[in-house]
Amino acid sequence: MSGSKRQEKGMTLIVKTITRLTVGLILLYGIYILLHGHVSPGGGFAGGVIIALSFIHIMLAYGKETAFSKLSKAKASLLESLGAILFIAIGILGFTGGYFFFNFFTDKGEAFRLFSAGIIPLCNIAISMKVGAGLFTIFVILVLLKFKTGGKDPRQGS
Amino acid sequence: MGSHLVTLFVILPLAAAFLNLLIGRKMKGAPDILANLATLALLIASVFSVFAVAKNGIFVYKVGSWVPPIGIAMVLDGLAAFMLVTVNLVAFLCTVYSVNYMEKFTSKWSFYTLFLLMLAGMNGVIISGDMFNLFVFLEIASVASYALVAFGTEHEELEATFKYMVMGTVGSLFILLGIALMYSYTSTLNMADISLTLAQKGLGNITLFVSILFIAGFGLKAALVPFHAWLPDAHPSAPAPISAMLSGVLIKSLGIYTIVRVLYNVIGVTKEFTNILLVLGVLSMIVGALLAMGQWDLKRLLAYSSISQVGYIILGIGIGTPLAIMGALFHLFNHSVFKSLLFLNSGAIEYASGTRDMRLMGGLREKLPITGWTSLIASMSIAGVPPFNGFFSKLIIIFAAVQAGYIGYGFWAALVSVLTLAYFISVQKNVFFGAPSKAMLSGRDVAKWDDIKEPPLFMRLSMIALAIICIFGGLLLIPAVSGNFLNAATEALTAGRDYANTIFGSLGL
């Protein structure tokens, strides 16, 4: 157990054990906040942030390899773009009712129930994808990316 | 149908931006096609919107079918249509130019994504009828431009973008604080509704304070003189098509358009505000021109010249007579054309010779005839030499200044025009005429003289298109053309706070 290669990556055993216990709860809480965005405080942005925090938590405790095996950079980038496109698509679908971002569900459901409020929960899901993947990517870039200053010609856009 | 057109200006660039990010990495060539198609469609839609506004008057779009004082409104009037044409024209020609120019950078798709996001932000600012929505779009455009300035990721670019980001954020904070105070006073964010509430409640000291915050915040975005320090670093550091976008249209849609819209249509313009604008305008004009004269870096000189030309526009807005506003808006259009052309020229020179330092150039007309001719046309336009478009707009501004009794301001405008001619003649002499420099003949620090050749097809095409607009831009003053375009924009501004009645009138409230 100790001295293995996995042990050297990330933080101590105590942190890892606690992380293993809590990270699922954090993810679930994020999803809860996200899905109840239209009936209680919270929503897509807050839910997305909490979901991203669960992945950042794994990265802090176990190191980047473990975190990337759960959510790679390419996958995060894909999710981010998909979230944005989904959000615009919901807006464009509103044209079926005559207006951009029209709430096109005729049955808005019962107030304070989970399945209600038409497109708002769908918008929340799209926003949470964008925000969650975006926040994770920003964290990864701030932590991992290094710039060579005064180097030869590092012409790279990303 | 016509009313749905308004949303297109935000939907199209946003959708194209994120589609680009999805498919651009995998498919080579897709980002170019997608971005160019999107900007071409936007250009066509914006020209169409001018005719739609001329036919039907104002368009007010209820987003999600919520009625405006509660929901978000998008407003397309004469001024918005005018600005949309300006922005999307330059954006289209810049994307055409980027097809070849951006080849030397990796990850073209992320360039186009940021470009289209910036465009979505600018179009959004122009058509938004809601104060907070305007702020959100302003931030989208600003944040995208921070990333674009740093696109080369070299030391100089990162430093410039950091400075730009700090200054830009301070400007945004002023604007946000202004909006918050305005909301606390009027309890509404809809621009037309704010205007109506102010008419009922009276202006009060808080409105004066908010106006000062707006002039400082939007003035920072427009790079008026006391707030200009970020521009000479940020604009030269970006890739050439982005410099053209930033100097050509970003400072105008985020800075000048917003100042004008808020002061004229929402708060209502008074003598104090126009005096502030007059002083800021003349100061920008003179300081920008004097600082431009001492520059050897071609793009930095152009950046300072932008400050100077923005001064003209603000001067015209400050004079405030219909003729002056028309001149200012015409100069805004002209400046975005010739300044983006000059930046694209500087990009072509850098592409061919590998340097921006004018001391290392000389005699390039022989090697770069198209760049040389288009640059000469743009230089003469910006200096205000008669047949070109810059002459007419400057003439109108100076006439209007004299007519309104501001003879001193008219004198400064004429004098700065001479200074502009002086430093652009020096540009032409150092870069295009004369003998090639020693550095260029020996190929030290720059491309070797024999290797220099004209840039690729798409870069030439967009430069030629802009030069043609420079030559024939004066035709926009013909009454048959200007009635729908320039005069409609001027009327939208001179209507002042009648804006609110027009909007609620068109909604039938």
Side-chain angles (χ1 to χ4, degrees):
Chain A
M1 204 172 79
S2 62
S4 71
K5 234 164 77 181
R6 251 180 121 63
Q7 182 66 36
E8 284 162 23
K9 297 271 162 73
M11 296 189 179
T12 61
L13 186 64
I14 301 170
V15 178
K16 282 185 175 173
T17 311
I18 301 288
T19 302
R20 202 162 55 229
L21 290 174
T22 55
V23 80
L25 292 175
I26 295 174
L27 185 64
L28 267 181
Y29 184 63
I31 293 171
Y32 168 80
I33 291 280
L34 153 65
L35 289 180
H36 289 74
H38 54 297
V39 289
S40 68
F45 194 99
V49 169
I50 297 170
I51 291 171
L53 284 180
S54 70
F55 286 99
I56 291 172
H57 200 171
I58 294 175
M59 187 172 225
L60 288 174
Y62 287 92
K64 61 180 175 188
E65 277 83 7
T66 319
F68 284 150
S69 72
K70 308 268 185 225
L71 181 64
S72 67
K73 267 192 280 188
K75 226 185 263 172
S77 171
L78 183 76
L79 273 177
E80 200 190 344
S81 315
L82 274 181
I85 286 181
L86 200 61
F87 193 70
I88 297 174
I90 293 169
I92 293 173
L93 276 178
F95 280 123
T96 55
Y99 283 96
F100 189 44
F101 272 111
F102 184 74
N103 199 335
F104 51 82
F105 283 95
T106 40
D107 181 18
K108 303 282 189 299
E110 208 177 313
F112 302 110
R113 302 301 292 268
L114 187 57
F115 294 103
S116 63
I119 61 167
I120 297 174
L122 297 179
C123 288
N124 274 338
I125 291 171
I127 294 169
S128 75
M129 279 164 74
K130 172 90 188 137
V131 171
L135 198 73
F136 181 71
T137 318
I138 290 172
F139 179 81
V140 167
I141 284 172
L142 284 180
V143 168
L144 298 182
L145 203 69
K146 287 193 185 75
F147 279 114
K148 273 183 281 177
T149 46
K152 232 176 31 190
D153 191 22
R155 284 207 188 274
Q156 274 161 2
S158 56
Chain B
M1 166 56 214
S3 154
H4 290 304
L5 183 75
V6 183
T7 54
L8 192 71
F9 294 106
V10 179
I11 296 174
L12 200 63
L14 270 184
F18 291 113
L19 271 179
N20 227 330
L21 206 57
L22 266 185
I23 63 168
R25 201 184 304 245
K26 310 256 161 44
M27 284 183 250
K28 208 165 158 45
D32 285 330
I33 297 168
L34 194 62
N36 278 296
L37 279 182
T39 46
L40 178 64
L42 284 171
L43 176 60
I44 293 169
S46 61
V47 172
F48 180 73
S49 76
V50 170
F51 292 107
V53 167
K55 203 170 136 211
N56 286 10
I58 195 167
F59 285 106
V60 182
Y61 191 81
K62 308 186 281 270
V63 177
S65 89
W66 293 93
V67 182
I70 299 157
I72 293 169
M74 287 179 172
V75 179
L76 180 69
D77 61 356
L79 181 63
F82 167 80
M83 288 298 299
L84 284 173
V85 170
T86 313
V87 168
N88 291 306
L89 175 71
V90 175
F92 171 60
L93 291 171
C94 284
T95 43
V96 170
Y97 185 91
S98 308
V99 172
N100 288 134
Y101 184 83
M102 296 309 289
E103 285 298 332
K104 62 178 177 176
F105 291 87
T106 55
S107 67
K108 222 175 173 183
W109 70 87
S110 58
F111 168 79
Y112 280 125
T113 302
L114 288 166
F115 187 99
L116 288 166
L117 277 177
M118 186 168 83
L119 188 58
M122 285 192 284
N123 283 343
V125 164
I126 291 164
I127 59 167
S128 177
D130 182 279
M131 214 55 213
F132 190 75
N133 213 21
L134 184 143
F135 175 76
V136 171
F137 281 123
L138 184 128
E139 279 293 271
I140 292 175
S142 303
V143 171
S145 70
Y146 304 150
L148 281 168
V149 168
F151 201 75
T153 63
E154 274 176 83
H155 188 265
E156 177 206 357
E157 282 139 7
L158 294 174
E159 190 189 325
T161 203
F162 186 72
K163 193 171 175 183
Y164 178 29
M165 198 160 73
V166 171
M167 299 282 283
T169 312
V170 170
S172 299
L173 274 177
F174 279 141
I175 298 164
L176 186 60
L177 183 61
I179 292 172
L181 289 174
M182 192 57 116
Y183 182 52
S184 74
Y185 184 62
T186 61
S187 315
T188 177
L189 285 169
N190 186 283
M191 274 149 71
D193 209 27
I194 288 178
S195 174
L196 279 188
T197 317
L198 284 179
Q200 283 164 8
K201 282 181 100 170
L203 286 178
N205 284 338
I206 188 93
T207 320
L208 194 65
F209 183 54
V210 168
S211 317
I212 298 299
L213 284 175
F214 281 155
I215 289 178
F218 294 133
L220 239 158
K221 300 279 179 195
L224 292 177
V225 146
F227 319 111
H228 69 287
W230 57 270
L231 188 140
D233 285 330
H235 287 193
S237 304
I242 296 308
S243 306
M245 282 295 280
L246 293 181
S247 256
V249 290
L250 188 92
I251 54 173
K252 300 194 181 75
S253 56
L254 261 53
I256 296 168
Y257 167 80
T258 43
I259 286 187
V260 167
R261 180 67 96 190
V262 168
L263 281 191
Y264 273 77
N265 288 147
V266 178
I267 294 175
V269 72
T270 59
K271 194 79 189 151
E272 289 84 27
F273 299 145
T274 53
N275 281 342
I276 292 175
L277 290 183
L278 279 174
V279 171
L280 288 181
V282 171
L283 210 61
S284 309
M285 232 159 62
I286 299 168
V287 172
L290 290 179
L291 287 171
M293 297 189 90
Q295 304 301 322
W296 283 110
D297 181 337
L298 179 56
K299 282 176 96 175
R300 211 176 164 80
L301 181 145
L302 295 177
Y304 275 115
S305 139
S306 282
I307 299 174
S308 170
Q309 300 300 315
V310 162
Y312 273 98
I313 303 169
I314 291 294
L315 175 70
I317 298 295
I319 294 167
T321 57
L323 184 69
I325 292 174
M326 205 263 270
L329 291 176
F330 190 33
H331 197 63
L332 188 154
F333 175 79
N334 289 343
H335 180 248
S336 53
V337 171
F338 50 63
K339 186 49 63 72
S340 45
L341 174 54
L342 282 165
F343 267 114
L344 295 185
N345 286 146
S346 77
I349 294 166
E350 197 183 356
Y351 189 90
S353 72
T355 181
R356 299 192 326 226
D357 192 335
M358 291 196 286
R359 281 168 295 195
L360 301 179
M361 301 172 190
L364 282 173
R365 274 178 83 78
E366 196 184 314
K367 291 281 179 183
L368 308 171
I370 292 175
T371 314
W373 275 110
T374 51
S375 171
L376 185 67
I377 291 170
S379 300
M380 293 303 106
S381 299
I382 196 172
V385 172
F388 301 109
N389 58 1
F391 166 73
F392 295 104
S393 49
K394 284 189 180 180
L395 191 70
I396 293 174
I397 292 174
I398 295 168
F399 264 172
V402 174
Q403 204 180 49
Y406 297 113
I407 295 174
Y409 291 120
F411 167 75
W412 282 113
L415 187 73
V416 171
S417 189
V418 176
L419 291 182
T420 312
L421 183 63
Y423 63 75
F424 274 103
I425 284 179
S426 117
V427 168
Q428 291 298 321
K429 176 186 154 283
N430 284 319
V431 178
F432 291 109
F433 290 88
S437 66
K438 279 198 194 103
M440 211 156 246
L441 286 176
S442 65
R444 192 163 42 82
D445 301 331
V446 289
K448 208 160 161 49
W449 178 249
D450 299 326
D451 299 339
I452 294 175
K453 54 178 186 295
E454 197 65 72
L457 175 69
F458 287 112
M459 286 167 76
R460 275 178 285 165
L461 270 184
S462 67
M463 287 192 293
I464 292 170
L466 282 166
I468 290 172
I469 300 172
C470 274
I471 297 173
F472 295 108
L475 294 180
L476 282 177
L477 282 178
I478 294 172
V481 186
S482 70
N484 294 343
F485 191 57
L486 273 172
N487 287 354
T490 314
E491 274 159 26
L493 274 184
T494 45
R497 289 166 71 179
D498 212 29
Y499 170 75
N501 298 330
T502 323
I503 284 182
F504 286 118
S506 83
L507 287 169
L509 293 174

